Amino acid sequence: MYDRKIVLESGEEYLGNGFGDPGDRVLEIVFNTSMVGYQEIVSDPSYTNQMVVMTYPLIGNYGTADDDFETRVPTLGALVVREYNDQPSNFRYTRTLSEILEENHIPGIEGIDTRKLTRSIRDFGSRRALITGADTPREEALELLRATPVPHDAVQKVSCKKRWYSRAFNHKFNVVAVDCGIKLNIVRSLNARGCNVTVAPWNTAADEILSMRPDGLFLSNGPGDPEDVPEVAQLVRALRGKLPIFGICLGHQIISLAYGAKTYKLKFGHRGGNHPVKNLRTGKIEITSQNHSYAVDAASLHGTGLELTHLNLLDNTVEGVACHDERVFSVQYHPESAPGPQDSGYLFDRFIQNMREAKQHA
């Protein structure tokens, strides 16, 4: 009855049926609580090397649309769902979810008890897992899990190899976006506010960025541990005070590291479109979309020059920081994902205002 299974490093097994690519993968297993947006999740580069368990039970029912991808080449590790629908009902759909997974060599598995699996991740934390054939012996699977090294090159894998451009009609500002795994809707959000965007590789040097004469610097989201890319933190140190800087997700963590704060890995991370975040300046609550495994240590912000600006109301983790004198700020969540749907759009407007003020005082 079953042709695929998931084996956790703790020895737990979950049987199901495969779709997408039939290959085996060793990945970190995490869960996402979003009710919609599976195409955006599959194509979000921040999920590189991760096996995502969808807590919403029905996935695939509206297919995929060419305009909704967050990256040109999805790099999700694997997708785990309760029930997969391969007959979409949506006038916009162009391909099924399984076809997208197969084209990009991403395995999927359905029929899993996703409630039980999610509780396991919640109670015992994110772990390594193998997706493989149902007939693979457990001991063989566990040996493969033990023998497979943990990757530390996720950002290098997903970042662009050379710069590319996205221009706005009647533009007012030029922004360089450092690509650590950037989502296309971030670029679209900047374009919509009159910014020409130059997307540059993660390891672009400070002098090269300054030679482009940008009005502001953006640090993107991306996968993995922020300490795996010290080069980007060094870039921030070199350019802080010279350009307005805005960071999202991994960019937020890197900015914090650049100022001397510390980061740590969360037990099971934040993934989904339903996290309440309090803006400590205004007292307003934003409903946010999140996707990260690491967080900034609040205690380590003391003495760095960074102010805590946003707080997660579920677990009191840091959600935003700022250095007002240097026009640098960042948030852990994704304002471009529009879960509110417009609760957090003001953050892009704030970046625009910082660039406008910097030009006036130049």
Side-chain angles (χ1 to χ4, degrees), residues 76-361:
L76 175 81
L79 188 66
V80 181
V81 304
R82 174 59 183 166
E83 180 182 349
Y84 171 66
N85 184 335
D86 204 42
Q87 296 181 321
S89 177
N90 176 9
F91 74 97
R92 293 180 66 242
Y93 106 88
T94 52
R95 284 171 291 180
T96 67
L97 175 58
S98 184
E99 288 171 334
I100 294 300
L101 297 185
E102 189 173 359
E103 287 174 14
N104 292 282
H105 310 292
I106 301 169
I109 185 169
E110 67 158 334
I112 296 290
D113 185 344
T114 51
R115 291 181 300 176
K116 180 180 179 181
L117 181 52
T118 299
R119 284 196 297 269
S120 177
I121 299 169
R122 183 195 64 193
D123 293 343
F124 301 105
S126 300
R127 282 158 287 166
R128 302 242 283 164
L130 168 70
I131 182 169
T132 185
D135 57 352
T136 302
R138 180 186 300 190
E139 286 306 315
E140 180 181 321
L142 291 174
E143 178 57 34
L144 182 58
L145 280 164
R146 287 189 289 267
T148 304
V150 177
H152 292 281
D153 62 346
V155 169
Q156 297 93 311
K157 178 179 178 181
V158 300
S159 179
C160 60
K161 302 302 181 282
K162 62 180 181 178
R163 72 178 75 163
W164 58 276
Y165 307 92
S166 183
R167 295 178 173 85
F169 177 75
N170 194 24
H171 85 281
K172 300 178 179 64
F173 302 97
N174 293 300
V175 173
V176 171
V178 178
D179 181 9
C180 296
I182 196 167
K183 294 169 66 177
L184 293 179
N185 206 36
I186 291 174
V187 178
R188 290 189 284 262
S189 296
L190 291 168
N191 287 159
R193 289 165 171 82
C195 297
N196 278 349
V197 180
T198 302
V199 181
W202 68 279
N203 56 353
T204 304
D207 289 345
E208 184 177 349
I209 287 176
L210 289 175
S211 71
M212 302 178 205
R213 302 180 64 82
D215 299 306
L217 178 69
F218 176 81
L219 298 185
S220 83
N221 62 291
D225 186 340
E227 294 188 1
D228 287 343
V229 282
E231 299 90 344
V232 188
Q234 181 57 42
L235 175 68
V236 175
R237 294 188 194 101
L239 296 180
R240 55 183 276 198
K242 297 180 181 180
L243 293 171
I245 302 177
F246 177 28
I248 288 177
C249 199
L250 182 67
H252 157 76
Q253 297 159 15
I254 290 172
I255 285 173
S256 300
L257 289 174
Y259 274 80
K262 300 183 183 301
T263 58
Y264 64 97
K265 189 167 186 180
L266 296 165
K267 183 178 180 181
F268 49 80
H270 295 163
R271 294 174 183 85
N274 46 13
H275 287 256
V277 168
K278 185 174 183 178
N279 184 324
L280 299 180
R281 286 179 168 182
T282 65
K284 291 184 177 179
I285 310 301
E286 303 169 34
I287 301 303
T288 69
S289 177
Q290 307 211 4
N291 171 21
H292 60 104
S293 295
Y294 292 82
V296 175
D297 181 5
S300 71
L301 291 173
H302 181 70
T304 62
L306 292 175
E307 173 194 343
L308 176 63
T309 59
H310 296 76
L311 194 68
N312 189 303
L313 295 183
L314 296 180
D315 59 7
N316 291 320
T317 51
V318 174
E319 291 286 352
V321 297
C323 178
H324 306 295
D325 292 341
E326 295 182 329
R327 295 190 177 91
V328 176
F329 74 103
S330 61
V331 291
Q332 182 65 77
Y333 53 97
H334 286 267
E336 85 287 346
S337 290
Q342 297 178 349
D343 290 13
S344 307
Y346 71 90
L347 293 162
F348 288 105
D349 298 330
R350 180 178 169 189
F351 185 42
I352 298 297
Q353 181 62 28
N354 283 351
M355 290 190 290
R356 182 178 292 114
E357 292 175 358
K359 289 181 74 170
Q360 291 171 351
H361 290 88

